[in-house]
Amino acid sequence: MTRQPGPPDEATLRAWLAIAVEEARTGLAEGGVPIGAALISAEGEVLGRGHNRRVQDGDPSSHGETDAFRNAGRQRSYRGTTMVTTLSPCWYCTGLIRQFGISRVVVGESTTFTGGHAELEALGVEVIVLEDAECIAMMRGFIADHPDIWNEDIGE
């Protein structure tokens, strides 16, 4: 996989994460799991954004990252793109990132759930984990209020 030249600055990372957080809040307001994501081009343009829609659509494959990916539409190549997600990607979303050669993953938090981001890093994907307090609080609140939906979401 192609590595990008150095990580974006903190302000850029936070701006990208804010897009994913906004999506997560939308998902929560719709009665779903508050996980949001955005796919960013190598030039910093938002290609697609989305949120976990498993509950709303009754579709077990509609995770935040997959929703953002689908909303980005077909790209000639995904090299140089960044997937920004409020939560460490599960194995399913890790596979999507690997399959399409997404170069960087920005993770809002991995405190409540640690998915496959370490494996992606071992494969050459640049991974930046922010451990954002708002992302952690949103997931902790959701898990406390909806443990059954959360356990279904992570395959428990």
Side-chain angles (χ1 to χ4, degrees), residues 52-121:
N52 186 302
R53 303 185 57 78
R54 291 180 58 262
V55 173
Q56 300 92 310
D57 294 350
D59 178 355
S61 70
S62 193
H63 291 208
E65 296 89 338
T66 58
D67 194 42
F69 183 79
R70 289 171 182 153
N71 288 331
R74 288 178 58 199
Q75 304 294 313
R76 186 181 157 290
S77 172
Y78 295 89
R79 283 184 172 59
T81 61
T82 300
M83 179 64 76
V84 183
T85 179
T86 57
L87 185 65
S88 179
C90 69
W91 292 111
Y92 174 65
C93 296
T94 295
L96 178 139
I97 292 162
R98 181 176 182 203
Q99 172 71 28
F100 290 96
I102 293 170
S103 299
R104 178 187 294 131
V105 178
V106 176
V107 177
E109 68 105 344
S110 66
T111 299
T112 59
F113 176 80
T114 302
H117 70 261
E119 286 74 9
L120 288 170
E121 194 167 35

Side-chain angles (χ1 to χ4, degrees), residues 1 8 17 20 24 26 28 37 48 50 56 60 77 90 93-94 99 102 114 117 119 126-127 135 140 150 152 154:
M1 268 178 221
L17 182 61
T26 298
L28 183 61
Q56 300 92 310
S77 172
C90 69
C93 296
T94 295
Q99 172 71 28
I102 293 170
T114 302
H117 70 261
E119 286 74 9
E126 181 180 0
V127 177
C135 291
R140 282 186 174 158
W150 172 246
E152 177 188 322
I154 60 171

